[in-house]
Amino acid sequence: MYLQVVLSLLCAGLSLVRSAPAPTHDKAAVSIEARGTTYPSTSGRLFNIAGKVEYFSGSFKRALGKQTVVDTYVGTNAWYLGHLTSNADVDQAMSQIAASGFKTARVWGFGTTNNAATETNVYYQVLNSTGQYFNMDSNTGIGRLDYALSSAKKYGVQLVLPLLNNFDALGGINTYTNAYGGNHTSFYTDAKSQAAYKNYIKFIVNRYKTSTAIFSWELCNEPRCSGCASSVITNWATSISAYIKSLDCNHMVSLGDEGWLQPSFSGGDGTYAYSGYEGVDFVKNLAISTIDYGTFHMYPDQWGYNYSWGNTWITQHNAIGKAAGKPVVLEEYAAPTAALQEQYFPQWQSTIVSKTSIASDAYWQFATSFADGTNPYDNYAIYYNATAGSESANLGTAHAKTMAAKQATASL
């Protein structure tokens, strides 16, 4: 109750005394967009999404002046959009995402290096022994994420922004431990690492918190604390999600986890996904009051399961979402070959549509052929192709239309 009161006061614009943030060298930690009129929000187990000035068919829709609410939708993953250096490439991908019927795109909101002098990728911050620095350059720094947001707004797509990476690519947890000591598992409780991470959150959230091109903030892409008690990540998620809410009352917050379940889960068999080994408890994390919706991922080939098991994983998380009364999103799923994608995606998508109230799903990952040869993809990529009967049209666009036409069913 105290937390809810504090957040309410902050949302009302009242100031409360907090400890000083970590030092930073930044002169532009300000919002880049004037405040909009509507933001996505939860509605029971579904989402309210303000759309274009037109009607969309959906599981639940109603007119709000000149705006339309769409609750069940399909998104995609395009992590690279804030790390491309060509505006034309960003616009090409974003326009094709919109043309596919995808309402959201999950884009990395992180990019950290420990050594700017040797960094060859776009990066948003530097962490090292001399301090914490934000890269304000329009070509190599935060300007690239600025452009991704402006392109998303132009094409009517909303972005999910994870603020940290569990893995090393583009500067994950490792860049914090490199700068402040400790290791991957101690990161979640290390005071120096957490102060720097919260300072980065403050920089990003304050910059974009009035943007209606933001769908939600995510604490981390696939957080793990292997071998830890699940309370470590649950406590961390409780603290960090409350901090984000104290900065931004407009947008939703999710954890960004893979949906791991504990041995105590009644539907589990003790194998990897149900072992608790990665230190994540999906059930308890979904119960956090400042986590608006749940996320889970699905990679049967990487986790040691057959592809048909994916249907079980989907229905289990749907049941957990139903018990919690919150939306649940399958925000990553994949198969490593086109043949496997064409065989199993329709099965998984059919389960989502006909047997669950999963609010949204998003395959990994959306791809397009850039004229300059840029190729940020892995072997899970599905290339955009508007031709009827193509993989993209069948597994992306057609599914988006089916989800848009889905009718809400309280029993699912």
Side-chain angles (χ1 to χ4, degrees):
M1 180 61 71
Y2 174 74
L3 175 60
Q4 293 174 338
V5 171
V6 170
L7 293 177
S8 296
L9 290 172
L10 288 166
C11 287
L14 301 179
S15 61
L16 297 177
V17 176
R18 293 199 291 263
S19 59
T24 183
H25 299 259
D26 169 45
K27 297 181 180 180
V30 295
S31 174
I32 64 165
E33 181 183 326
R35 180 167 181 161
T37 57
T38 57
Y39 301 91
S41 62
T42 61
S43 178
R45 297 185 62 206
L46 301 175
F47 295 112
N48 289 342
I49 305 175
K52 299 177 182 178
V53 185
E54 61 182 359
Y55 287 97
F56 296 91
S57 61
S59 63
F60 171 75
K61 65 180 183 181
R62 64 177 179 272
L64 292 179
K66 291 185 177 180
Q67 295 166 335
T68 302
V69 172
V70 180
D71 293 311
T72 304
Y73 69 95
V74 172
T76 193
N77 286 274
W79 69 263
Y80 47 85
L81 288 176
H83 288 264
L84 297 175
T85 56
S86 164
N87 290 352
D89 286 352
V90 175
D91 285 336
Q92 175 181 317
M94 201 74 73
S95 65
Q96 292 173 352
I97 287 169
S100 298
F102 300 145
K103 298 296 182 185
T104 63
R106 191 159 163 264
V107 175
W108 289 172
F110 55 81
T112 304
T113 184
N114 297 123
N115 189 343
T118 61
E119 186 57 58
T120 58
N121 296 309
V122 169
Y123 64 96
Y124 306 145
Q125 74 165 337
V126 181
L127 297 174
N128 56 39
S129 60
T130 66
Q132 179 177 23
Y133 307 86
F134 299 132
N135 182 9
M136 307 307 298
D137 189 86
S138 60
N139 297 312
T140 65
I142 198 64
R144 302 316 307 151
L145 191 56
D146 289 349
Y147 191 81
L149 263 293
S150 68
S151 182
K153 190 171 182 67
K154 176 181 177 181
Y155 291 104
V157 177
Q158 291 177 315
L159 304 187
V160 177
L161 292 186
L163 300 170
L164 178 70
N165 197 8
N166 176 70
F167 305 102
D168 292 355
L170 299 176
I173 287 175
N174 64 304
T175 57
Y176 288 84
T177 59
N178 288 345
Y180 303 112
N183 55 42
H184 195 97
T185 57
S186 68
F187 162 82
Y188 296 99
T189 56
D190 180 78
K192 291 182 179 180
S193 287
Q194 291 306 303
Y197 175 50
K198 290 174 73 173
N199 205 41
Y200 180 71
I201 289 172
K202 183 178 180 181
F203 166 61
I204 293 292
V205 171
N206 280 345
R207 190 171 184 83
Y208 303 123
K209 67 182 179 181
T210 60
S211 175
T212 53
I214 297 288
F215 182 80
S216 67
W217 308 110
E218 280 194 353
L219 274 55
C220 184
N221 171 52
E222 301 187 337
R224 297 179 180 182
C225 190
S226 304
C228 301
S230 63
S231 58
V232 173
I233 283 185
T234 298
N235 291 340
W236 174 79
T238 300
S239 173
I240 297 298
S241 60
Y243 179 67
I244 294 174
K245 290 287 189 179
S246 76
L247 298 172
D248 177 9
C249 304
N250 296 321
H251 293 100
M252 296 180 290
V253 177
S254 64
L255 179 52
D257 61 308
E258 296 153 287
W260 303 118
L261 297 169
Q262 293 290 304
S264 58
F265 177 68
S266 61
D269 59 6
T271 55
Y272 177 53
Y274 308 95
S275 67
Y277 174 74
E278 300 296 358
V280 175
D281 186 335
F282 179 79
V283 176
K284 288 187 177 179
N285 295 334
L286 188 58
I288 297 171
S289 63
T290 42
I291 293 293
D292 293 291
Y293 65 92
T295 64
F296 68 108
H297 298 182
M298 191 168 71
Y299 290 87
D301 62 310
Q302 293 186 18
W303 298 351
Y305 295 92
N306 62 54
Y307 288 96
S308 297
W309 166 84
N311 296 301
T312 299
W313 192 240
I314 291 167
T315 57
Q316 287 172 333
H317 285 80
N318 176 68
I320 295 167
K322 183 177 182 179
K326 288 186 177 182
V328 172
V329 173
L330 175 56
E331 69 171 11
E332 286 189 32
Y333 61 97
T337 67
L340 289 169
Q341 290 164 351
E342 291 170 356
Q343 181 178 359
Y344 289 104
F345 276 26
Q347 295 181 27
W348 298 337
Q349 292 170 351
S350 176
T351 295
I352 290 168
V353 172
S354 63
K355 297 181 180 180
T356 79
S357 288
I358 296 293
S360 172
D361 65 89
Y363 64 68
W364 182 277
Q365 62 176 310
F366 181 91
T368 182
S369 297
F370 295 120
D372 59 11
T374 298
N375 183 2
Y377 314 122
D378 56 27
N379 62 338
Y380 295 109
I382 295 179
Y383 281 80
Y384 175 77
N385 185 340
T387 304
S390 68
E391 183 183 25
S392 171
N394 289 342
L395 304 183
T397 306
H399 177 52
K401 290 179 180 178
T402 300
M403 283 288 277
K406 180 179 176 180
Q407 298 296 310
T409 305
S411 61
L412 295 178

